[in-house]
Amino acid sequence: MSLFSGKKILLGISGGIAAYKTPMLVRAFIKQGAEVRVIMTPSSKDFVTPLTLATVSQNPVYSSFIAEDQDNPLWNNHVEMALWADYMLIAPATSNTISSMAQARCTNLLLAAYLSSQCEVFVAPAMDLDMYAHPANQKNEATLTEHGVVVLPTEEGFLASGLQGKGRMQEPEDIVSFMENHISKNLPLNGKKVVLTAGPTYEAIDPVRFIGNNSSGKMGFELAKRAAALGAEVILISGPSALDVDHANITVLRVNTADQMFEVSKLHYTDAAIFIASAAVADFKPDTNATQKIKKETGFSQINLIPTPDILAHLGAVKEKQFLVGFALETENELENAQGKLERKNLDAIVLNSLNDANAGFGGDQNKITYLQPNTKPIAFELKTKAAVAVDVFDQILLAYEKTS
Ligand code: C5P
């Protein structure tokens, strides 16, 4: 899954010859799963048509403050467009646009949107070599950098003037990978290893029967996706689950039993920055595992159960620098029980999900959690999708983790 998957990108196009490459730029973002909206400066329309960009972006393209060709003119809301975006990119950015951005001029819709933006803004300059090198332009670019804008380097090469030199806009795919690298480098969990357990465990009675539970693994898989979106290298240790995930930074290691989950967890714990135990591990297993299927005719009247290893308790006991998070599923005295587990297992946080909440928990797509940490008031969240819960959990983890690391 790409970093741009599901992201909203506002592309601002200003009037340079490199504007002819912008439909390819839109395509490149869309190929990565992003949604793109385009704002053009009036002069950029001499180089590329709004129709082309509207067609490739599958969104209306705006270039003036007022909707054109209408008997009842409407205001094109630059604030709404700017706040919509996860990232804004101005490509090509002419000397004129860069200078206006640096000085907070607001003479067209693109500049107004830039000034209203709250997201990270990237600028891909494109101009002739002497314009690019001019101290006034260099100063404007430095001002933008000071303002937190990411100014992409230009390429050296053949320029529209016929001259050779520095000032060419980067190729569309290079712009996309530059942005990708920049964003991922600055993600809060970049370079960190996050390990999670998820799903149920199956404890064999014989080759076909087992003791298991109804855990789907959904919560753990959503947490893994969130960790990866925050830049982490993720190891997802999953018990039997129908789920799968396709992300370059997530390695899924499949196990069946609590013992196997324990072994794999220990292996990946040493260098983990964060470990989250969201698996519904069986607490007991049969003391024997018949090698052949037990015949109905033979019958068996009882299964002797012995405890499985408590993975989380072990990890808590040997904890060094890891941030260790457990899950608790309680039906009574929820807060007290969760609090007890937090202390007993030496955890940094515990996520309580209650079976008392309708529509939440096992198997479903939603969950309702309370987040507990040592010496802090529990934080209760509303019923949400598991994907949204994963965002809340990592928001809390990051708040505490950034203080300790
Ligand atoms: O004590 P209890 O089983 O309720 O604790 C639940 C938490 O402990 C969950 O985070 C679960 O993943 C973890 N756990 C474990 N190994 C076990 C049992 C539970 O890691 N054998």
Side-chain angles (χ1 to χ4, degrees), residues 197 277-283 308-312 326-328 330 341 345:
T197 64
S278 68
V281 187
D283 291 318
T308 54
D310 189 325
I311 304 168
L312 190 56
F327 267 70
E330 305 291 341
K341 251 170 231 179
K345 298 196 184 189

Side-chain angles (χ1 to χ4, degrees), residues 276-291:
I276 306 178
S278 68
V281 187
D283 291 318
F284 300 98
K285 63 176 181 180
D287 65 348
T288 51
N289 174 5
T291 49

